Amino acid sequence: MHTLTVPFLACNVNVRPSLHVVGLPSANAINGLAHAIVRLINQLMGVSVADHGAALALNTYTLLPGRQKHQLAMKGDLADAKSASGAPMIDDRLAMIEGWLVLRFDASLSDVGKIGLRLEDLAEQIQRLSFAGGTLEILENLRLNENDDLGNDALGKLPSYSRLVVDQTNYLGAYAACYEIDHFEAMVRLLVSSEQQMENFNKPAVAKETKQGEQVDEVGNLSQTTCSEDDQAINEELDADKADWETAYLGRLVPIDIGYRALETPKPRNARGGYLHVYAEPVTGLARIQLVASYLRQKGDSAFWKHHNKHPIYISTGVLTNV
């Protein structure tokens, strides 16, 4: 396994990928850009490269002012759009993001050598792609890391202040199962706990009473619960390095759009030359904005997002590499 580090600046990135999430681009957009780069490598250099996920590291993030856009304006009916009649307004949220995309890929050593010889050409071609609807600019030279199975070599070369978008969606199921609540309430509790911990930065976590008399600290650690064996295994991951969690802030928990769930079987439509159409609903996961150095010390979490498509679920989740 090898990695490729792409330093970039993306402008006008869509950070409202669904009605439920504002702040981060979709996990599908992160992995989608990586997949587009892998396809570009194969086409440009005549090699055979297999995509194994991508990590997004943030350097600077600027949320641009929101702008309302009438749905009818997208259909060219400007008169109705200006009169604000008909369909409701859409709150369009865009951002400017500077950071690094780290791709994990598999290729033969000869193909890796070919890629290394044409990194400048590749950087020029990548700038023609888009990231969640935003334009891309490559800021520095691309970096190729051979035999970097876990991606730690590439991540270790990033600035210590950069922050990774780390998948924490597995917290939702474990928390919900142990406290007999639904996933939405589990997400709300975990997000509130994260905000409280951020306010008490570098202070010991304060244990709180649950309705069952159990204890849950401000980072969502679980203890003294009556869970199934599978949930207990996940809880052990949640409690890993608990001493460190109680004295250091790992990073903010945030909701992230991870894909969608189809509500029906895809059906053919004849418009625009024919295509498959399906009604679907968005799927929201959980991510942590975590310092690279902190992530490299942790075990069991993943910052590398990869597509997992099995009807009716089409999502991107973390590939466990940091073990």
Side-chain angles (χ1 to χ4, degrees), residues 29-312:
I30 297 172
N31 190 58
L33 174 59
H35 188 67
I37 294 175
V38 167
R39 291 179 58 186
L40 185 62
I41 291 173
N42 290 334
Q43 296 172 0
L44 182 65
M45 305 178 189
V47 296
S48 179
V49 172
D51 176 20
H52 285 274
L56 175 64
L58 305 174
N59 181 16
T60 62
Y61 173 98
T62 304
L63 184 63
L64 304 177
R67 60 183 186 185
Q68 290 187 329
K69 180 172 59 177
H70 199 284
Q71 285 185 348
L72 293 178
M74 296 186 294
K75 300 178 181 179
D77 195 342
L78 298 180
D80 286 339
K82 291 179 180 179
S83 65
S85 62
M89 304 292 282
I90 299 174
D91 187 14
D92 194 16
R93 299 311 301 267
L94 304 175
M96 182 169 63
I97 298 176
E98 180 186 343
W100 300 265
L101 187 75
V102 180
L103 290 69
R104 291 177 69 241
F105 65 92
D106 195 12
S108 66
L109 290 179
S110 61
D111 285 347
V112 172
K114 295 178 182 178
I115 297 171
L117 294 174
R118 300 192 61 184
L119 290 180
E120 291 186 5
D121 294 340
L122 178 60
E124 182 179 347
Q125 294 297 321
I126 289 175
Q127 294 186 122
R128 300 183 180 183
L129 302 176
S130 65
F131 177 36
T135 58
L136 279 174
E137 178 184 353
I138 302 302
L139 300 178
E140 301 174 2
N141 294 332
L142 307 185
R143 294 197 298 267
L144 184 62
N145 304 279
E146 297 183 24
N147 301 318
D148 185 15
D149 290 346
L150 304 182
N152 290 349
D153 289 348
L155 296 178
K157 296 175 183 177
L158 299 181
S160 59
Y161 52 77
S162 57
R163 286 171 167 79
L164 290 166
V165 180
V166 182
D167 183 21
Q168 306 277 250
T169 304
N170 61 332
Y171 280 36
L172 298 176
Y175 197 101
C178 289
Y179 294 96
E180 298 181 353
I181 56 179
D182 60 32
H183 284 202
F184 177 77
E185 185 174 352
M187 173 171 285
V188 171
R189 289 191 187 183
L190 287 169
L191 293 176
V192 170
S193 297
S194 177
E195 293 297 312
Q196 291 171 343
Q197 191 199 20
M198 185 171 63
E199 293 175 0
N200 295 283
F201 188 86
N202 282 335
K203 294 181 180 180
V206 179
K208 295 186 176 182
E209 294 273 338
T210 69
K211 64 179 182 180
Q212 300 175 347
E214 299 153 344
Q215 300 292 324
V216 53
D217 63 33
E218 289 188 348
V219 293
N221 289 333
L222 311 179
S223 60
Q224 301 179 14
T225 58
T226 55
C227 309
S228 67
E229 292 182 1
D230 291 340
D231 290 329
Q232 288 175 359
I234 299 177
N235 294 339
E236 291 176 0
E237 295 180 4
L238 295 177
D239 287 331
D241 300 325
K242 183 175 181 181
D244 292 338
W245 285 33
E246 292 180 346
T247 57
Y249 179 55
L250 288 184
R252 189 177 196 171
L253 290 175
V254 294
I256 183 172
D257 178 78
I258 60 173
Y260 64 92
R261 181 175 73 92
L263 301 177
E264 62 177 355
T265 302
K267 300 175 182 178
R269 287 195 171 182
N270 295 325
R272 299 195 299 273
Y275 62 95
L276 288 177
H277 175 272
V278 62
Y279 288 101
E281 61 182 3
V283 178
T284 303
L286 192 67
R288 188 185 296 279
I289 309 301
Q290 186 170 1
L291 284 170
V292 170
S294 172
Y295 169 79
L296 293 175
R297 291 195 301 266
Q298 292 293 117
K299 302 295 181 182
D301 295 330
S302 178
F304 287 87
W305 301 84
K306 183 170 172 46
H307 283 308
H308 300 279
N309 298 335
K310 184 176 181 181
H311 185 80

